[in-house]
Amino acid sequence: MNQAVIGVGSNIEPELNVPMARERIAHRHVIIAESPLVETSPIGYVHQPDFTNGALLVETNLDRERLRADLKAIEFMLGRRPGTNRYGPRTIDLDIVVWNGEVIDRDLYTRDYLREAVLAVLPDLKL
């Protein structure tokens, strides 16, 4: 069994899209812990609504690439399309931040809200 921390973010109807993403993830994987959701200012492209962000700690039978593909499929189901502005508005953004105790998303070191969310679900993570 593999363990992953998934970063979750949305600034298009986050009150609907974040719970729907969580529900779809819970149908496929075991959610062990959830961080509180926080509102954050956009990064990069600032002329857009604030984001709602958090993190989920999950256990999964999938390997990392298959989990990544599963998360991209959930994003697509919720209306996110490839090729859109990397920092622009989105219905949902799902990223693997930590995989089996190893940080794989360098944004963890530069984004306080992400680090706080990850440590809320995985407090013993060594940074």
Side-chain angles (χ1 to χ4, degrees):
M1 188 73 77
N2 292 304
Q3 194 175 74
V5 177
I6 300 168
V8 179
S10 172
N11 74 340
I12 298 174
E13 297 183 325
E15 68 282 357
L16 300 174
N17 288 310
V18 170
M20 283 194 293
R22 186 211 176 279
E23 181 180 315
R24 284 173 169 77
I25 290 168
H27 281 15
R28 296 169 161 86
H29 315 283
V30 177
I31 296 177
I32 299 168
E34 300 178 55
S35 76
L37 296 173
V38 297
E39 204 167 284
T40 62
S41 298
I43 295 171
Y45 177 69
V46 297
H47 302 292
Q48 61 181 320
D50 286 348
F51 280 82
T52 298
N53 288 291
L56 301 171
L57 175 62
V58 302
E59 284 188 345
T60 181
N61 290 322
L62 299 181
D63 64 29
R64 191 164 95 186
E65 288 311 309
R66 291 173 96 187
L67 176 59
R68 186 181 319 276
D70 188 52
L71 297 175
K72 295 306 166 200
I74 292 170
E75 288 180 347
F76 192 83
M77 281 188 280
L78 293 177
R80 183 154 184 207
R81 298 296 179 256
T84 58
N85 180 352
R86 173 177 157 93
Y87 296 107
R90 63 206 62 195
T91 54
I92 198 71
D93 186 22
L94 303 170
D95 296 306
I96 303 169
V97 180
V98 178
W99 179 257
N100 290 329
E102 177 187 346
V103 175
I104 63 167
D105 187 337
R106 308 311 283 174
D107 287 344
L108 179 74
Y109 299 112
T110 59
R111 298 185 181 165
D112 291 342
Y113 70 87
L114 182 57
R115 185 172 46 258
E116 289 169 11
V118 168
L119 290 174
V121 299
L122 203 60
D124 295 332
L125 180 67
K126 300 293 183 219
L127 301 176

